[in-house]
């Protein structure tokens, strides 16, 4: 089985996603919000690209979530902090969500056979589910404004490390970027908090007052929930 | 001081190189050949893009070197194996060289104020020289056919680790890709031979019978030689 890794959103498309399982990784913070919401019993997350589309998709029992420049959108119920997406708020709700990068990453991934959402919070469950789908896997690190983000890369390394453990390294063909991130993750894993606070998004969120989000999003395997794309929305994949 | 890292050749150009010091890294094998040649007393290396240009630049006392698809070009004196560029062959010679990727990387880098050539073989000397030039630094990992190569990334991580030691981590602004490769290098450095044999180029060279080149190119700090671009050619930077 092959696992490719793509460094940032603008490199998607050169690759052929058809027939493959894509895992979209946008750790700070869209992926982490989606995983947290579905783990908290939210019915479905509908990713849309624009604020207008989000408002149009709104109906009774929905919550509007998302950000622009890391901040909650005026008039929306929720921003882009996973701590806003906990059970007491999201249970049985439908969430319509628009974020700068994460939503676009999901849209770009839709050429794949399966689209899953990965984060530190659900890493082991996510790669395990992807391996069970028995297709070649593409890890899309969403990055930030077309540039590679460390936290997404470390998450890719985490997923590759877990895949190595499950499948055995000899069964897997990992590309060079994946190998670099696998090495990087193994080095950083003993202190992910430090790594997450040293990278560009960690520092930016810290400055904007979202320090708790950074701490939250670097936790590994808090949830077993795996979001999967089905007919226009993300729902929990039941194993 | 800022140090940016670029993952592969086709991403150069988005970046602004003006006023900066660029280090071109093409470990397997163009960078390693150029460093070895200048360390062996070769007068200068002239990188050109095409076989025709190489032949045109030929004059008495020159050697023609380079590869296409990893193999020596018919009629050329040298291929792209650093073991062909040792003192007994290259001393006092002028080498005209054309390789698939390395030469293009140098051409693309010429918008920078300074262009140096980096490899595992001269890593510490190279980053030390770059830091002494007192400009922001850009590490260009040449990659292979527009794709990131692990060996170039690990070399970037090596240079960043050395820079960290010389300047102190607090003095330096390292981008997210650089941080990932710094973590990766620290993990891989205890067994670079294994890493070099696991990556795509290492495996390809192994298959083609160039196993010794892979072993040679992963040696750290064999030389103190730093190639620098001056008026159309690469010469040794004398410190």
């Amino acid at each position: 089985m092959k696992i490719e890794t793509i460094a940032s959103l603008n490199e998607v498309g050169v690759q052929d996603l058809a027939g493959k399982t894509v895992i979209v990784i946008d750790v700070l913070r869209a992926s982490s919000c989606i995983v947290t919401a579905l783990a908290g019993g939210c019915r479905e997350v509908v990713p849309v690209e624009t604020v207008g589309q989000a408002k149009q998709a709104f109906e009774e029992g929905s919550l509007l979530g998302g950000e622009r420049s890391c901040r909650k959108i005026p008039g929306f119920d929720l921003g882009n902090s996973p701590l806003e997406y906990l059970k007491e708020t999201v249970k049985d709700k439908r969430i319509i969500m628009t974020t700068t990068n994460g939503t676009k990453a999901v849209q770009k991934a839709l050429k794949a056979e399966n689209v899953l959402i990965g984060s530190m919070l659900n890493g082991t469950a996510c790669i395990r589910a992807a391996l069970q789908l028995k297709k070649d896997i593409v890890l899309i690190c969403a990055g930030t404004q077309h540039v590679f983000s460390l936290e997404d890369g470390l998450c890719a390394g985490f997923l590759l490390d877990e895949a190595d453990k499950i499948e055995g390294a000899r069964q897997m063909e990992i590309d060079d970027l994946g190998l670099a991130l696998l090495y990087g993750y193994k080095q950083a894993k003993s202190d992910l908090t430090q790594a997450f606070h040293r990278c560009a998004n960690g520092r930016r969120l810290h400055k904007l007052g979202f320090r708790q989000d950074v701490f939250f999003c670097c936790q590994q395997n808090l949830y077993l929930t795996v979001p999967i794309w089905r007919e226009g929305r993300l729902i929990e994949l039941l194993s």
Side-chain angles (χ1 to χ4, degrees), chain A:
Chain A
M1 183 179 282
K2 272 192 201 172
I3 307 192
E4 292 166 76
T5 303
I6 298 178
S8 72
L9 202 50
N10 68 329
E11 292 174 40
V12 183
V14 184
Q15 310 286 329
D16 184 15
L17 304 182
K20 296 179 184 168
T21 295
V22 164
I23 301 179
V24 174
I25 301 170
D26 186 11
V27 173
L28 291 176
R29 298 168 289 169
S31 286
S32 302
C33 285
I34 293 165
V35 169
T36 304
L38 289 171
C42 141
R43 280 192 293 125
E44 59 186 39
V45 177
V46 183
V48 297
E49 289 214 27
T50 68
V51 173
Q53 286 168 345
K55 287 180 176 168
Q56 214 162 20
F58 182 84
E59 58 187 39
E60 193 66 29
S62 295
L63 293 171
L64 290 174
E67 54 75 39
R68 289 296 180 268
S69 308
C70 299
R71 302 274 190 197
K72 190 163 96 170
I73 297 161
F76 273 39
D77 304 293
L78 310 165
N80 194 32
S81 162
L83 297 166
E84 297 175 274
Y85 288 76
L86 297 174
K87 195 174 176 179
E88 55 269 30
T89 308
V90 304
K91 188 155 172 50
D92 298 325
K93 300 282 189 187
R94 175 173 176 262
I95 297 175
I96 300 143
M97 197 169 181
T98 177
T99 66
T100 320
N101 243 25
T103 314
K104 281 183 198 149
V106 173
Q107 295 296 337
K108 272 205 158 184
L110 294 182
K111 286 175 191 161
E113 179 141 338
N114 306 294
V115 179
L116 309 180
I117 305 294
S119 67
M120 289 291 180
L121 301 172
N122 72 337
T124 302
C126 185
I127 191 69
R128 193 178 292 268
L131 290 168
Q132 282 172 354
L133 292 166
K134 303 279 181 208
K135 303 286 178 190
D136 286 340
I137 295 171
V138 182
L139 308 178
I140 298 183
C141 299
T144 307
Q145 293 173 334
H146 306 305
V147 174
F148 170 82
S149 290
L150 179 66
E151 69 279 7
D152 296 339
L154 291 177
C155 184
F158 171 34
L159 300 185
L160 289 164
D161 192 37
E162 292 298 301
D164 247 11
K165 286 181 201 159
I166 297 165
E167 293 286 301
R170 288 192 189 166
Q171 305 301 317
M172 309 228 308
E173 207 178 302
I174 299 176
D175 62 10
D176 276 25
L177 180 62
L179 289 173
L181 297 173
L182 178 56
Y183 280 121
Y185 165 71
K186 283 183 174 174
Q187 179 69 22
K189 70 179 173 183
S190 63
D191 194 352
L192 285 174
T193 311
Q194 195 208 28
F196 269 56
H197 278 91
R198 196 175 175 189
C199 65
N201 277 328
R203 284 182 282 130
R204 185 178 305 128
L205 288 169
H206 193 108
K207 268 189 202 161
L208 291 168
F210 295 112
R211 193 162 161 258
Q212 291 308 320
D213 285 2
V214 182
F215 281 110
F216 186 82
C217 294
C218 69
Q219 298 175 100
Q220 293 179 270
N221 294 334
L222 202 61
Y223 303 124
L224 293 172
T225 306
V226 181
I228 188 167
W229 181 264
R230 287 274 187 267
E231 295 162 15
R233 70 226 204 280
L234 292 159
I235 57 170
E236 183 173 0
L237 173 66
L238 298 172
S239 51

